[in-house]
Amino acid sequence: MKTNDKLNNKWLKASVLGCLWASSEIVLGSFLHNMRIPFSSNFLTAIGIILLISVSHLWKEKGLIWRSGLICALMKSISPSTMIFGPMIAIFSEALLIEFAVRVFRKNMFAYLVGGMLAMSWNLLHKIANLIIMYGFNIVNLYDSFASFAQKQLNIHFDNLWQPVIFLWVIDLLFGLIAAIIGIYIGRKAIREPNKIEGINFNKISEIQTRKIDLSFNYSLLWLGFNVLGMITVLCFMNFTGWLWWSISGLIIIACWTIRYHRALKPLKKPKFWILFILITMLSSFLFAKFQNTTSGIYEGLLLGIQMNFRAAIMIVGFSTIGTELYNPVIRSFFTRRSFRQIPLALEVAFDTLPYVIANLPSFKNIFSQPVSIIHQMVSQADFWLEKLSVKFKEKQPVIIISGKSEQGKSALLNEVINYLNYNNIKIGGFISPSVFEHNVRTGNDIINISTKEKIMLSRTYDNPDLIQVGRFYFSNTSIEFAKNILSLENNVQSQIILIDEVGPWELENQGWASCINDLLLKTEIPMIWIVRISIVDKVIENWNLNNYKIFNVNKCNVSDIIQYITSNQIIRQNK
């Protein structure tokens, strides 16, 4: 993202919440699918309801819920499935229903309960609508006939043939009510007991793949128009002409799509499609024959079943081809330049953050034994990711990075810079951490407050149960708090430059003094000098999205190079 792109706070929060929701859809969805758990869509909807309601206790912005739903829905485009429109519509509709309840009844318990029930009840309505869209209103007649047949055969009676559907709808309402109650509980718990995220496992991030736009594909607005008109034409032929016209026109357009879009035909290759094809065709021919008691009834039922399945094939492949063309950079560019500019920016932020969020998700294997605890962990990450993104996309003050391998003289070079700054009466904040040697063997580091000269132990190599082990070193909690206090905003009001020795792997894991670095980047304009190991320089720059930095390799520069850069670029601010 370009540094001059501006994403307002509401959309930034929506990108975080939408990304959390999308990550649960991706990870938990795969888990439920692999375990073949019934009512998987209800569980996924429940997770969405809980996340939206619980995080809305932390963030009060109006319109946050529908924006988060829109981001999550658009992120479904990375799904390996070719049929993405249905889930996208469902996700956005659920968010709109909760937003509707909150707008009508305001943000209170009653509104959340109503919103949860409405969102969950959409599941059944969405499935019914999907069936009607795919197979036409003939599917309703088929259900009506099948229900009547079942009543006669099983000797049962419904006052209304839609009673089974209403029963399922009531179950959904109750399920939504429970999800809303859990969301309210977790939201209140997150306010009382914030659960700070420990850090990021960067080793996992490289393993996570997200779908990128295929720029090699020859996108075409003409093909997009053709796909839409082609679908409409075939559907009209099905409604107003005989089987010969709709079958020929349908086969022609499917042939055109096959030539251009190989991926679009994947759903038709799945056994599920052909099992449904056979079942619907056989059921329709059987019921027609049963109720009409004529040979022509079998033929009419058979033709009706084929027509319904043919319509489904047109809809599945057609929507897939339209979805492919919507990735056209021209279309994305159009929305970026218009009043919808915030949407692609927020979506880009969410996609960039998704691998990190997935890497930090709690194990969903325990979701059935510890559902509240696991979702509470996810909700607690919201503020963490908001801070992370706020830092990432803020225009930064200058940062000078002194890099090199261990024991190559980074700290010695930094000391020369400090001498120059002191000689010129520059007020320095921060700390240095000189190595400590015993019998010419490095045994750890001390930490020294540059402005007060106070020194305490930072780490040692020998084992101590009271210290925190990081690699072969053991760190003192007291020294970490000492370093954080040195870097605190209140202790750097008068600082003209801040030195940090060093920014290491621990800070990349959001530990050590990473939170202080975030505060300094977010809330000050004070330039900084960081000591960074050469092996992680790129990760440090990426982690904080530094956009105004200069790297000095300790083996290829001297103190005069750094001083010249500081003076020529007027890095040091003048205190008033």
Side-chain angles (χ1 to χ4, degrees):
M1 180 178 290
K2 297 176 182 177
T3 56
N4 60 348
D5 288 337
K6 300 297 181 183
L7 189 63
N8 67 43
N9 193 54
K10 190 180 293 187
W11 277 104
L12 189 61
K13 287 183 176 181
S15 68
V16 172
L17 182 50
C19 187
L20 282 173
W21 189 1
S23 66
S24 70
E25 285 273 336
I26 293 167
V27 178
L28 180 58
S30 299
F31 172 72
L32 293 174
H33 176 74
N34 292 335
M35 295 294 291
R36 301 185 184 280
I37 294 175
F39 303 105
S40 296
S41 60
N42 294 74
F43 282 111
L44 291 173
T45 301
I47 296 294
I49 292 170
I50 294 169
L51 282 175
L52 292 176
I53 291 176
S54 54
V55 175
S56 66
H57 281 73
L58 303 176
W59 299 339
K60 307 293 186 179
E61 285 82 356
K62 184 183 291 186
L64 177 64
I65 293 175
W66 76 260
R67 285 176 171 84
S68 303
L70 178 60
I71 295 299
C72 179
L74 292 173
M75 292 185 76
K76 283 295 290 183
S77 62
I78 71 165
S79 170
S81 171
T82 53
M83 282 305 295
I84 59 173
F85 283 103
M88 288 173 69
I89 293 170
I91 288 169
F92 189 45
S93 299
E94 289 156 12
L96 284 176
L97 288 168
I98 297 176
E99 183 75 40
F100 169 77
V102 168
R103 291 290 182 95
V104 172
F105 303 108
R106 301 189 178 180
K107 284 192 174 182
N108 53 49
M109 181 184 290
F110 181 74
Y112 291 135
L113 295 177
V114 171
M117 289 191 292
L118 289 175
M120 186 63 73
S121 66
W122 177 259
N123 251 334
L124 183 60
L125 297 175
H126 180 75
K127 288 173 183 175
I128 293 172
N130 262 355
L131 289 172
I132 293 173
I133 290 171
M134 288 295 172
Y135 297 102
F137 279 97
N138 288 325
I139 195 72
V140 178
N141 297 329
L142 189 61
Y143 167 80
D144 190 29
S145 301
F146 180 73
S148 299
F149 176 75
Q151 285 189 88
K152 291 180 180 178
Q153 294 298 313
L154 301 175
N155 197 25
I156 56 176
H157 177 72
F158 296 126
D159 295 330
N160 187 323
L161 290 177
W162 291 94
Q163 268 186 318
V165 176
I166 294 171
F167 176 73
L168 291 174
W169 183 59
V170 171
I171 291 177
D172 278 352
L173 289 175
L174 292 174
F175 203 177
L177 182 66
I178 294 170
I181 292 171
I182 295 173
I184 294 168
Y185 172 77
I186 291 176
R188 293 177 177 177
K189 183 179 180 182
I191 294 173
R192 294 192 313 267
E193 307 169 22
N195 183 18
K196 186 69 174 178
I197 187 172
E198 288 298 321
I200 299 172
N201 188 338
F202 279 85
N203 294 327
K204 291 182 181 178
I205 293 170
S206 59
E207 301 172 5
I208 300 168
Q209 299 292 327
T210 58
R211 179 180 166 191
K212 302 294 183 181
I213 296 175
D214 183 8
L215 296 176
S216 63
F217 185 79
N218 184 24
Y219 295 100
S220 169
L221 294 177
L222 289 176
W223 268 100
L224 177 61
F226 171 79
N227 296 342
V228 174
L229 290 174
M231 278 184 63
I232 294 173
T233 301
V234 176
L235 294 177
C236 286
F237 280 1
M238 286 186 170
N239 289 331
F240 304 112
T241 65
W243 69 270
L244 187 62
W245 285 98
W246 58 255
S247 60
I248 292 175
S249 61
L251 289 172
I252 290 173
I253 196 167
I254 286 179
C256 294
W257 287 338
T258 303
I259 294 170
R260 179 169 170 82
Y261 310 97
H262 302 294
R263 184 173 176 270
L265 294 178
K266 284 186 178 180
L268 302 188
K269 298 177 183 178
K270 294 180 179 179
K272 179 181 176 181
F273 174 82
W274 292 105
I275 291 171
L276 284 174
F277 186 101
I278 294 169
L279 286 176
I280 290 174
T281 304
M282 291 179 63
L283 185 62
S284 60
S285 60
F286 170 76
L287 289 174
F288 263 67
K290 202 75 178 172
F291 283 103
Q292 293 188 17
N293 292 319
T294 61
T295 330
S296 61
I298 298 177
Y299 171 75
E300 290 176 12
L302 187 65
L303 190 60
L304 177 64
I306 293 173
Q307 182 184 16
M308 290 168 64
N309 285 291
F310 198 80
R311 175 191 171 96
I314 293 292
M315 297 296 288
I316 291 171
V317 181
F319 275 124
S320 182
T321 62
I322 292 170
T324 300
E325 293 294 351
L326 287 177
Y327 281 102
N328 193 327
V330 175
I331 297 175
R332 286 166 53 86
S333 177
F334 171 81
F335 282 106
T336 302
R337 293 193 302 267
R338 304 292 169 173
S339 57
F340 298 100
R341 179 179 178 81
Q342 291 288 312
I343 297 176
L345 291 180
L347 191 60
E348 187 175 343
V349 170
F351 270 121
D352 287 343
T353 312
L354 183 63
Y356 299 89
V357 173
I358 291 178
N360 272 283
L361 285 178
S363 175
F364 279 116
K365 293 179 181 179
N366 302 319
I367 191 157
F368 298 106
S369 59
Q370 304 172 353
V372 174
S373 174
I374 287 176
I375 300 174
H376 177 230
Q377 288 181 52
M378 291 184 65
V379 172
S380 298
Q381 292 182 13
D383 279 326
F384 166 80
W385 290 114
L386 180 62
E387 180 185 75
K388 199 83 173 168
L389 292 177
S390 298
V391 170
K392 186 172 184 179
F393 295 105
K394 176 186 177 289
E395 191 75 27
K396 311 297 190 310
Q397 61 265 48
V399 175
I400 295 171
I401 296 175
I402 298 177
S403 73
K405 296 180 180 179
S406 181
E407 304 302 317
Q408 280 195 331
K410 300 186 295 296
S411 296
L413 182 59
L414 183 61
N415 277 322
E416 294 185 57
V417 175
I418 292 171
N419 291 335
Y420 165 81
L421 296 173
N422 284 330
Y423 180 79
N424 287 274
N425 298 316
I426 303 299
K427 293 181 179 179
I428 312 170
F431 59 83
I432 57 173
S433 53
S435 298
V436 175
F437 292 87
E438 295 179 9
H439 307 294
N440 294 323
V441 177
R442 183 188 174 198
T443 57
N445 293 80
D446 289 333
I447 183 167
I448 302 174
N449 186 328
I450 295 174
S451 60
T452 66
K453 311 303 180 189
E454 183 181 359
K455 179 173 76 170
I456 66 172
M457 182 196 79
L458 175 63
S459 66
R460 291 295 184 267
T461 53
Y462 44 78
D463 191 357
N464 187 321
D466 297 327
L467 302 183
I468 304 168
Q469 184 177 4
V470 180
R472 67 188 185 96
F473 291 96
Y474 293 82
F475 286 77
S476 162
N477 265 320
T478 303
S479 61
I480 294 170
E481 293 304 316
F482 179 72
K484 288 182 176 180
N485 184 59
I486 294 171
L487 298 178
S488 65
L489 298 178
E490 56 268 25
N491 285 331
N492 284 283
V493 174
Q494 296 299 318
S495 298
Q496 294 171 274
I497 191 166
I498 297 174
L499 281 55
I500 304 177
D501 181 14
E502 66 179 304
V503 179
W506 217 16
E507 283 65 49
L508 288 176
E509 297 275 343
N510 198 50
Q511 299 180 41
W513 32 87
S515 60
C516 297
I517 295 174
N518 291 342
D519 280 343
L520 291 170
L521 289 172
L522 268 177
K523 301 172 183 177
T524 76
E525 300 298 328
I526 306 171
M528 290 186 274
I529 299 178
W530 296 355
I531 297 293
V532 182
R533 300 177 199 176
I534 195 167
S535 58
I536 61 169
V537 167
D538 291 339
K539 286 184 178 180
V540 166
I541 292 170
E542 179 185 2
N543 187 62
W544 280 282
N545 197 35
L546 301 180
N547 45 36
N548 185 6
Y549 64 91
K550 177 70 175 178
I551 301 173
F552 289 94
N553 189 310
V554 70
N555 288 329
K556 300 178 181 178
C557 72
N558 53 46
V559 67
S560 60
D561 296 324
I562 299 175
I563 292 169
Q564 183 181 3
Y565 177 78
I566 290 173
T567 54
S568 62
N569 289 277
Q570 299 181 338
I571 300 296
I572 306 296
R573 68 173 188 172
Q574 297 300 317
N575 285 341
K576 296 182 180 179

